[in-house]
């Protein structure tokens, strides 16, 4: 499947996001409380896993107009990949048969912006070792963006945010054997997406597996 939007799970998310940005809501999320007992008795079967930022303007179920039991959401500032986050993703895809992993970044991300600021002026110490660790996970995306755009450019935050989404999607594939095997079997796709926090619109990016394949092919051609 080459076109991201052809994937049934991604199509469902795109349609839900269209409803959200049009001010519409499906009835299911509003009636979610009625499904709680059924889901508790029969178990969950979320159709997609979403790794996204903790930002309060990125409420996943709302922006995709999905209900209880539909999405397995992993949230961390800067939508970075670290062992416990990867374990959460693996737990979901291994147990619930979710057919898509979406890495959802967003515009004006504070975590990406803080990393840019720290890259510009590393003499300013970060307030805690935990924040140092988080910034360290975003920094490689800043360095990738810097290879194509000057860090002082007004659009740099946008470029770095896209790099950070791309990097997390690639890391999930590179670091998780479980994910790679499911992708190879055609049971799972890993996709990046960007939420515009001003409009609520989500744009899906190219399938991460295809991106890696394209890169390998390009490297092969140029070698
Ligand atoms: Zn953020």
């Amino acid at each position: 499947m080459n076109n991201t939007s052809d994937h049934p799970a991604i199509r469902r998310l795109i349609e839900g996001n269209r409803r959200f940005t049009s001010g519409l809501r499906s009835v299911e999320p509003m009636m979610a409380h009625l499904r709680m007992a059924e889901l508790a008795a029969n178990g969950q079967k979320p159709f997609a896993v979403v790794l996204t930022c903790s930002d309060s303007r990125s409420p996943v179920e709302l922006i995709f107009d999905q209900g209880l039991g539909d999405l397995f959401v992993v949230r961390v500032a800067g939508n970075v990949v670290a062992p416990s986050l990867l374990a959460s993703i693996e737990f979901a895809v291994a147990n619930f048969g979710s057919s898509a992993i979406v890495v959802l970044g967003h515009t004006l991300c504070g975590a990406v912006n803080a990393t840019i600021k720290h890259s510009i002026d590393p003499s300013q110490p970060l307030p805690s070792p935990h924040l140092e660790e988080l910034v360290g996970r975003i920094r490689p995306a800043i360095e990738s963006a810097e290879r194509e755009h000057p860090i002082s450019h007004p659009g740099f935050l946008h470029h770095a945010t896209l790099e950070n989404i791309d990097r997390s999607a690639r890391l999930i594939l590179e670091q998780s054997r479980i994910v790679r095997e499911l992708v190879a079997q055609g049971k799972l796709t890993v996709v990046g997406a960007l939420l515009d926090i001003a409009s609520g619109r989500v744009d899906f990016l190219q399938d991460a597996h295809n991106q890696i394949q394209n890169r390998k092919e390009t490297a092969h051609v140029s070698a």
Side-chain angles (χ1 to χ4, degrees):
M1 192 169 304
N2 291 323
N3 197 342
T4 300
S5 61
D6 288 343
H7 191 282
I10 304 303
R11 175 119 308 269
R12 205 167 150 183
L13 293 172
I14 290 171
E15 286 167 4
N17 184 243
R18 276 202 196 122
R19 287 193 297 276
F20 174 72
T21 53
S22 312
L24 301 171
R25 285 188 74 186
S26 52
V27 179
E28 286 86 1
M30 287 186 266
M31 305 298 278
H33 62 289
L34 300 175
R35 289 199 65 212
M36 292 201 84
E38 180 213 323
L39 283 165
N42 300 329
Q44 58 177 321
K45 210 169 175 15
F47 71 89
V49 177
V50 183
L51 170 67
T52 192
C53 185
S54 302
D55 194 294
S56 63
R57 298 161 295 181
S58 178
V60 181
E61 287 86 351
L62 264 178
I63 58 162
F64 288 122
D65 188 37
Q66 299 299 320
L68 211 69
D70 288 336
L71 301 175
F72 192 95
V73 182
V74 182
R75 292 183 73 164
V76 58
N79 41 270
V80 297
V81 172
S84 54
L85 305 161
L86 202 49
S88 303
I89 293 167
E90 288 180 331
F91 178 78
V93 296
N95 289 291
F96 308 135
S98 311
S99 64
I101 298 171
V102 179
V103 177
L104 179 67
H106 66 97
T107 55
L108 303 176
C109 181
V112 175
N113 201 32
T115 309
I116 293 171
K117 282 187 177 167
H118 195 252
S119 297
I120 292 170
D121 184 7
S123 67
Q124 292 291 325
L126 288 159
S128 85
H130 312 115
L131 282 160
E132 294 256 11
E133 201 267 351
L134 181 70
V135 160
R137 289 190 188 276
I138 300 173
R139 190 171 292 117
I142 308 297
E143 289 165 359
S144 295
E146 268 191 287
R147 285 196 272 278
E148 299 201 22
H149 310 275
I151 201 164
S152 55
H153 190 276
F156 188 80
L157 173 59
H158 183 74
H159 296 303
T161 300
L162 290 174
E163 282 288 344
N164 191 47
I165 294 166
D166 186 35
R167 178 176 156 77
S168 286
R170 277 188 289 113
L171 287 179
I172 291 169
L173 276 162
E174 285 168 14
Q175 296 183 0
S176 172
R177 183 179 52 79
I178 294 172
V179 170
R180 273 201 311 280
E181 284 178 2
L182 288 166
V183 168
Q185 291 163 18
K187 294 178 181 168
L188 182 65
T189 189
V190 183
V191 176
L194 179 71
L195 164 68
D196 176 354
I197 59 162
S199 67
R201 183 192 156 102
V202 174
D203 283 316
F204 282 84
L205 312 173
Q206 196 189 7
D207 176 281
H209 184 69
N210 282 337
Q211 278 192 41
I212 290 173
Q213 285 301 112
N214 290 346
R215 236 169 255 176
K216 279 184 188 157
E217 280 159 24
T218 310
H220 183 71
V221 168
S222 59

